[in-house]
Amino acid sequence: MTTPHRPVPTRPLGTTGPTVSALGLGCMGMSALYGESDRAESIATIHAALDAGVTLLDTGDFYGMGHNELLIAEALRSAPAAAREQALTSVKFGALRTVEGGFTGYDGRPAAVKNFAAYSLQRLGTDHIDIYRIARVDPDVPIEETVGAIAELVEAGHVRHIGLSEVGADTLRRAAAVAPIADLQIEYSLISRSIEEKILPTARELGIGVTAYGVLSRGLISGHFTRDRELGAGDFRGMSPRFQGDNLHRNLDLVDRLRAIAEAKGVTVAQTAIAWVLAQGADIVPLVGARRRDRLTEALGALDITLDAADLAAIEEAVPAGAASGDRYPAAQMAHLDSEH
């Protein structure tokens, strides 16, 4: 396993956004959707990321229903001042939850946007959010109204930059006509490449960066997921089509093919998958969902990997576009994705 150089290189988030570390830390799994997590290890992992030069911390106000923002706030309070001052928070909002933890929709009304932001600022213990975005488009509220409300938060100094999440090319254009958009957060990995057809070219035309989540497809292409692994009751992957039955086995067959390429280079499967996303353009910042320091160290090692034309061709042959079996979300959640319509 390669070890990262210091400091971590940086990339701009679009033409109007901030400059951030070339890898961001996705913090969702520290609070929700992947079963139990260790609070002390989560905070230690955030500290290790900051120490390595990772500046972008990605969260959502609905991750653990506020738990994740409070966790980040605790980690930042206990981090060295220099690291804390370099940290940038990227926050998603809008998801509506039940007491039992279910999701009931999204709210993008301007009054709701400002309400969500007020609560996030309180939980994060800060006077501003660096990048703010609705998690999914509210089908009952024009995107212009939602983005306009965030623009008012920018004008008031409560938000620095506007982002979007899982929107299609047309919505991206409409939003960008209202206010400058720093980045689009969207799933992008070796086995989730649908953005390449319309969404990524549109983002590039408009000068909008991409923060890519799911670069390891929720661990599926990390090289660590086994065919006989049993998922806990609180693990989202238990409902994910790509982790079901024959789909899982076919997808892990792809991982085996990727493993052969990784081993030939003397690196890990996860590092190869992350390096592939990094190689797709300097306007793309992968988010890695490491919940432990060892997984973070492995992910950071991807920054030292150079994939030449032969490597990229071999990866393309092993895992061609569209090779994944199963949708990336269950049908009910796919229906909420503007990016898929």
Side-chain angles (χ1 to χ4, degrees), residues 17-35:
T19 295
V20 301
S21 51
L23 283 183
L25 181 64
C27 299
M28 180 186 76
M30 298 176 180
S31 298
L33 297 178
Y34 294 129

Side-chain angles (χ1 to χ4, degrees), residues 252-300:
L252 289 179
D253 286 343
L254 297 175
V255 177
D256 289 339
R257 296 165 68 176
L258 187 61
R259 192 187 312 275
I261 296 170
E263 289 178 349
K265 287 186 69 68
V267 298
T268 71
V269 175
Q271 289 170 338
T272 305
I274 296 167
W276 181 87
V277 178
L278 284 164
Q280 301 313 301
D283 54 349
I284 299 173
V285 175
L287 300 172
V288 295
R291 300 194 292 170
R292 304 190 328 235
R293 284 167 287 181
D294 59 335
R295 293 287 194 252
L296 173 68
T297 298
E298 180 182 19
L300 289 170

Side-chain angles (χ1 to χ4, degrees), residues 231-254:
L231 297 170
D235 196 317
F236 158 81
R237 292 171 293 190
M239 300 181 295
S240 174
R242 289 185 175 174
F243 288 83
Q244 304 298 312
D246 289 342
N247 284 349
L248 174 64
H249 292 288
R250 285 193 289 267
N251 290 329
L252 289 179
D253 286 343
L254 297 175

Side-chain angles (χ1 to χ4, degrees), residues 32-72:
L33 297 178
Y34 294 129
E36 293 296 320
S37 60
D38 184 313
R39 187 179 189 87
E41 181 61 24
S42 295
I43 290 173
T45 301
I46 294 172
H47 286 169
L50 295 171
D51 181 60
V54 173
T55 62
L56 183 63
L57 302 178
D58 184 77
T59 185
D61 63 9
F62 51 94
Y63 292 167
M65 290 178 276
H67 178 278
N68 204 238
E69 289 178 320
L70 291 168
L71 182 77
I72 289 172

Side-chain angles (χ1 to χ4, degrees), residues 161-221:
H161 302 279
I162 304 171
L164 293 167
S165 176
E166 286 289 355
V167 305
D170 290 344
T171 303
L172 200 58
R173 290 187 187 281
R174 288 169 51 198
V178 174
I181 305 298
D183 71 314
L184 167 64
Q185 188 172 123
I186 196 163
E187 186 166 355
Y188 187 41
S189 74
L190 267 170
I191 63 171
S192 296
R193 295 175 58 179
S194 61
I195 73 167
E196 293 175 347
E197 183 178 352
K198 293 182 180 179
I199 295 173
L200 184 55
T202 301
R204 286 174 167 162
E205 176 192 334
L206 297 171
I208 296 171
V210 170
T211 42
Y213 76 88
V215 293
L216 297 179
S217 199
R218 298 163 185 84
L220 182 59
I221 60 172

